[in-house]
Amino acid sequence: MTVGLYDPATSTFYLRNSNTEGPADQTFTFGNADSIPVAGDWDHTGRTNIGVYMPANLTFYFRHDDGTVTSVAYGDTGDTPITGDWNGDGRTTQGIIHS
């Protein structure tokens, strides 16, 4: 697991491939100003990918290893997005915490 930052003003992810000092190894613009960043292994490849939850349309958007994006509408206004491997199959999926 390595560190990453998300700048909500520019919808940009800044990711490091090692837990050392220095600039981002990877930079991705993904989402919009009201997006909430999420991360997980959407593909079951052992590699963490980026995603966002957009409260305006209650939808998760997941960026996959091959660059494709899938979406899942889920939740209600005011919910907090979470992600995890809820059933132990090695694949991360979405969840929400109801307000």
Side-chain angles (χ1 to χ4, degrees):
M1 185 81 44
T2 57
V3 298
L5 297 173
Y6 179 75
D7 180 355
T10 61
S11 304
T12 303
F13 286 83
Y14 298 91
L15 309 175
R16 291 280 297 155
N17 293 330
S18 63
N19 288 321
T20 58
E21 294 181 16
D25 296 307
Q26 300 176 53
T27 304
F28 299 98
T29 300
F30 192 67
N32 59 33
D34 71 339
S35 297
I36 299 169
V38 296
D41 183 1
W42 325 127
D43 303 321
H44 190 219
T45 60
R47 183 176 154 164
T48 303
N49 296 69
I50 61 171
V52 294
Y53 181 72
M54 294 188 184
N57 65 358
L58 306 173
T59 302
F60 285 86
Y61 294 89
F62 305 116
R63 187 173 186 269
H64 297 273
D65 285 341
D66 64 3
T68 61
V69 175
T70 57
S71 63
V72 176
Y74 193 63
D76 293 316
T77 301
D79 287 346
T80 301
I82 57 173
T83 59
D85 180 3
W86 313 121
N87 61 3
D89 68 356
R91 183 171 179 254
T92 306
T93 54
Q94 75 281 350
I96 49 99
I97 300 171
H98 285 290
S99 301

